[in-house]
Amino acid sequence: MSFPINGRIAIIDDNINQARPLMDVLSSKQYPFTYYSGELKYLPSKEDFCNDIRVVFLDINLIDNSEHDEKTLRSMLVPVLTRIISPKNYPFVIVYWSRHENHQKLIKDIFETDLKDRKPIGFLNESKLNYFNLDGSPSEELENSIDQLFGRIDVLLNENPVFSYLLHWENTVHISADNTVQELYSFTNSTKDWEHEANYVFNKLGKSYSGKYFDRSSPEEKINSSFQALNSVFLDTLEYETNSKPVDIPRLLIPEAANHDSIISINKKLLLSFDTSELQYSGIVIENNKKADKTEYSELINNLIFPNIKKHIYEREGIDPYMEIDLHKRKGLEKLVSIELKQFKEVLLEKQFRIILNVTPLCDFVQKKQKYDRLVKGLLIESKFKSSLDDKSEAIFISPDFLFNGLSYFLVLDFKYFFTDNVEENDDYKPIFRIRQQVLSEVQSKLARHVNRQGILFL
C-alpha cells in the first residue's frame, strides 16, 4: 500500500483516547502523523499553511460524546478544517466517522459548499460504533476493525491509481533523501567524533560545488553550496530508487484528451519558475525596454516571418520562388511581400515582449566568476502567430506553448543576437520569469552547436 511515510497524515479527534488505537497502528507501521484535538488555539495559523496532508482521519463530532444537530457540528468543523487544510493542499483523501448514520453526508456537503476550494479527491465514511461503544470504550472487535479499516483505505487509494502513484513517488523521495544522508554522514567513528567528521564533509561538499569562491563566501553561501552538492547526490539516488522500486498494482492509465488550456497551464509549471530575485541568475528571462535595441528586434522579427510570408505569397500566385520569372512581375510580388510583412509586423508587435535570456553557466554565477553575463535576445510571442514563423534555422530556438498573462505564449531566441553585458534591474531591464534548468540546458546545448559549426575545408 502506498501510504505516506513522510508525516502527511492528520488525525482530528477531540477525544485522544478514541484516537489512540489508530495512533498505535500507524506507529507500529512507522507512518508518522499529526494529531489535532480540534481546539483552535492548538491549530496551525494561516501564516504556517503548507501543502502537507495526504490522508485525513476526521471525527465528525469534535464537541463531546453527545448527539448534536448538523448545524452545531458544522459550526465546529468548518473553522477546524479551514485551519488544518489550506486551499493549496491538494490532492488528499479524507476518512471520516460518526456514531450517527444521519451525519455521514455532512462532510461531503461541507466540502461542496463552505470548503469547496479544498475539496478531497476521495471520501471514506465509517461508523464509529464499529470501533467504540456508546460510552466511548473500545469495542471487542477494535483491533480487527482497525485492520479492516486500513484495507478499505487501500481500496480507496487504488480507486484513484494516479494518487497512489504520487504517494509512491513522495515516499521514494523521502527514502532517497534518507539514503543520501546515510551514505554521506554515516561514519564508523564513535559518536563523540561525529560532529568533527560531519563538519569536514559538509565543507568539502560546499567547496566541491562553488570552487575557489567557497573560501571567501559568507556562511550562508557556504551552507547553500553544500546543499547544492547534496542535491546532486540525492538526484542520482532518487533516479536509482525510482527505477528499482516498482509501484504496487501498476495499471494502464487511459486519459481523456486534454484541451489546449490545460496543456499550456501545465507547461507553465514545467517550463517556468517565477523566482526572479537576481537578474544574474542563469535562466532569468528579462524584458528589454531599451529604445536603442528596437532596430535589432525589428530585424529579428523580419528574419522569423519573412521566409514564410514570401513563400505563402508566391504559392498563392502559383509561382516557384526559386524559378526565373519576368522582372516586372517579380518586383510586383516583392512589393506585395513587403506590404504584407509590414502589416503582419504591426499586429505582431502589439502581441510580443522583447526579451533577453541569461544563459550564463550556473557554476559561474555560484562561484562569482562571471565578469559579464552571457545573454541572448529573443521574443515572447502569442501562440497564434507560431505557424507564421520560420523555424528551420539552426540559429533559432522555439519553446513549447505555455500560459503567460492569461494567454498562450511561446519563447523565441535567435542565437545570432548573442552578446555579453552586466545586467542590473532598472527601467530598461525587468525580470519576467526564469526558465527551468532542463529548458536552459537545451538552450545552452543548441547555442553551443550554433557557435561550434566546424565547416569543411576543400578545393
Side-chain angles (χ1 to χ4, degrees):
M1 177 169 64
S2 295
F3 213 69
I5 63 173
N6 49 13
R8 298 192 171 192
I9 301 171
I11 301 174
I12 310 172
D13 198 320
D14 65 302
N15 189 333
I16 193 170
N17 290 323
Q18 294 187 6
R20 193 174 302 281
L22 183 58
M23 295 178 179
D24 290 340
V25 173
L26 290 172
S27 298
S28 69
K29 295 177 181 292
Q30 300 185 73
Y31 296 145
F33 57 87
T34 303
Y35 168 74
Y36 299 102
S37 66
E39 291 186 67
L40 293 179
K41 63 181 178 180
Y42 297 126
L43 299 181
S45 65
K46 291 183 179 180
E47 292 76 19
D48 295 333
F49 265 168
C50 60
N51 185 19
D52 200 36
I53 299 177
R54 292 291 174 260
V55 180
V56 178
F57 293 94
L58 174 66
D59 180 11
I60 292 179
N61 183 354
L62 296 177
I63 303 170
D64 51 31
N65 288 326
S66 304
E67 184 173 357
H68 300 278
D69 58 57
E70 289 195 358
K71 183 178 180 181
T72 303
L73 294 175
R74 182 189 293 264
S75 66
M76 182 66 180
L77 284 167
V78 171
V80 171
L81 292 171
T82 301
R83 290 277 291 274
I84 294 175
I85 305 170
S86 81
K88 296 181 180 179
N89 195 127
Y90 199 82
F92 72 100
V93 296
I94 190 164
V95 181
Y96 57 96
W97 45 39
S98 171
R99 296 181 185 180
H100 310 289
E101 295 293 335
N102 57 317
H103 294 157
Q104 299 289 356
K105 296 181 180 179
L106 175 61
I107 298 301
K108 286 189 177 182
D109 184 65
I110 286 175
F111 283 104
E112 290 288 350
T113 54
D114 302 271
L115 302 176
K116 60 183 178 182
D117 60 341
R118 59 202 84 189
K119 184 179 177 182
I121 64 167
F123 295 89
L124 178 62
N125 64 300
E126 288 287 306
S127 172
K128 208 165 189 178
L129 293 176
N130 293 333
Y131 308 88
F132 300 96
N133 300 314
L134 290 174
D135 62 359
S137 60
S139 68
E140 293 181 1
E141 300 295 324
L142 176 61
E143 186 174 340
N144 186 50
S145 297
I146 291 289
D147 289 339
Q148 291 177 358
L149 171 64
F150 276 86
R152 284 190 283 273
I153 294 173
D154 195 18
V155 172
L156 174 65
L157 297 181
N158 287 318
E159 284 177 355
N160 194 328
V162 173
F163 181 58
S164 178
Y165 302 156
L166 291 177
L167 292 180
H168 174 89
W169 178 78
E170 287 188 332
N171 288 345
T172 304
V173 171
H174 183 83
I175 293 169
S176 300
D178 181 64
N179 288 345
T180 300
V181 174
Q182 290 289 335
E183 289 170 4
L184 295 174
Y185 290 95
S186 292
F187 309 124
T188 56
N189 298 334
S190 62
T191 305
K192 65 180 181 181
D193 295 323
W194 185 88
E195 185 177 0
H196 174 75
E197 294 278 356
N199 288 348
Y200 179 80
V201 171
F202 199 80
N203 273 357
K204 278 294 187 181
L205 286 172
K207 195 163 188 175
S208 71
Y209 182 79
S210 57
K212 295 179 180 179
Y213 177 71
F214 184 81
D215 292 331
R216 62 180 188 274
S217 300
S218 67
E220 183 180 6
E221 289 174 323
K222 288 181 177 180
I223 293 169
N224 284 336
S225 294
S226 300
F227 287 161
Q228 293 290 356
L230 279 171
N231 286 345
S232 299
V233 181
F234 164 75
L235 289 173
D236 177 78
T237 304
L238 176 61
E239 185 179 74
Y240 176 79
E241 290 288 337
T242 301
N243 291 328
S244 62
K245 301 290 176 63
V247 299
D248 295 330
I249 317 177
R251 285 188 279 175
L252 179 65
L253 302 177
I254 305 176
E256 296 181 4
N259 59 47
H260 183 66
D261 290 342
S262 66
I263 291 174
I264 62 174
S265 179
I266 294 171
N267 278 348
K268 176 183 176 181
K269 300 172 185 177
L270 294 176
L271 305 178
L272 314 179
S273 168
F274 287 85
D275 299 324
T276 57
S277 56
E278 297 191 60
L279 265 66
Q280 291 78 24
Y281 198 88
S282 304
I284 292 291
V285 174
I286 304 163
E287 185 175 4
N288 184 6
N289 293 314
K290 279 187 177 181
K291 294 181 180 179
D293 289 345
K294 281 189 174 181
T295 301
E296 280 193 348
Y297 281 96
S298 180
E299 292 174 355
L300 193 160
I301 293 176
N302 282 346
N303 295 338
L304 287 172
I305 63 178
F306 177 78
N308 273 8
I309 286 182
K310 181 177 180 179
K311 179 182 177 183
H312 173 71
I313 290 176
Y314 273 67
E315 287 178 351
R316 191 175 65 197
E317 298 296 325
I319 299 172
D320 187 337
Y322 302 103
M323 289 181 60
E324 288 292 332
I325 59 173
D326 178 72
L327 181 61
H328 179 72
K329 188 168 186 178
R330 182 176 290 278
K331 285 184 176 180
L333 288 171
E334 295 296 336
K335 184 177 180 180
L336 188 59
V337 170
S338 178
I339 292 172
E340 292 203 15
L341 179 64
K342 182 179 179 181
Q343 292 173 343
F344 189 86
K345 278 180 64 176
E346 288 176 353
V347 178
L348 179 59
L349 288 171
E350 295 179 359
K351 302 293 184 181
Q352 57 84 37
F353 294 83
R354 301 195 306 272
I355 61 96
I356 295 171
L357 173 66
N358 192 331
V359 293
T360 305
L362 184 58
C363 61
D364 283 4
F365 171 80
V366 172
Q367 299 173 14
K368 308 295 181 185
K369 294 195 303 187
Q370 84 267 38
K371 294 182 178 179
Y372 296 96
D373 297 294
R374 283 82 145 184
L375 308 163
V376 178
K377 290 182 179 177
L379 298 163
L380 273 182
I381 303 176
E382 262 200 68
S383 299
K384 64 182 180 181
F385 296 106
K386 201 169 194 176
S387 60
S388 301
L389 304 189
D390 178 28
D391 59 356
K392 296 180 179 61
S393 171
E394 292 185 1
I396 297 296
F397 172 85
I398 299 179
S399 78
D401 299 339
F402 54 82
L403 185 66
F404 179 69
N405 281 1
L407 297 171
S408 180
Y409 275 82
F410 64 97
L411 176 69
V412 179
L413 301 171
D414 192 332
F415 298 132
K416 294 191 292 292
Y417 297 90
F418 174 74
F419 68 107
T420 60
D421 194 6
N422 287 321
V423 291
E424 295 180 356
E425 188 170 350
N426 51 46
D427 290 339
D428 292 329
Y429 286 162
K430 297 288 186 184
I432 304 177
F433 50 74
R434 177 175 62 85
I435 60 173
R436 295 195 183 275
Q437 186 59 45
Q438 281 191 325
V439 188
L440 177 62
S441 296
E442 178 65 21
V443 171
Q444 291 169 329
S445 177
K446 192 165 186 179
L447 173 61
R449 294 195 298 271
H450 174 69
V451 300
N452 192 34
R453 290 172 292 174
Q454 299 296 314
I456 302 173
L457 179 63
F458 66 96
L459 298 180

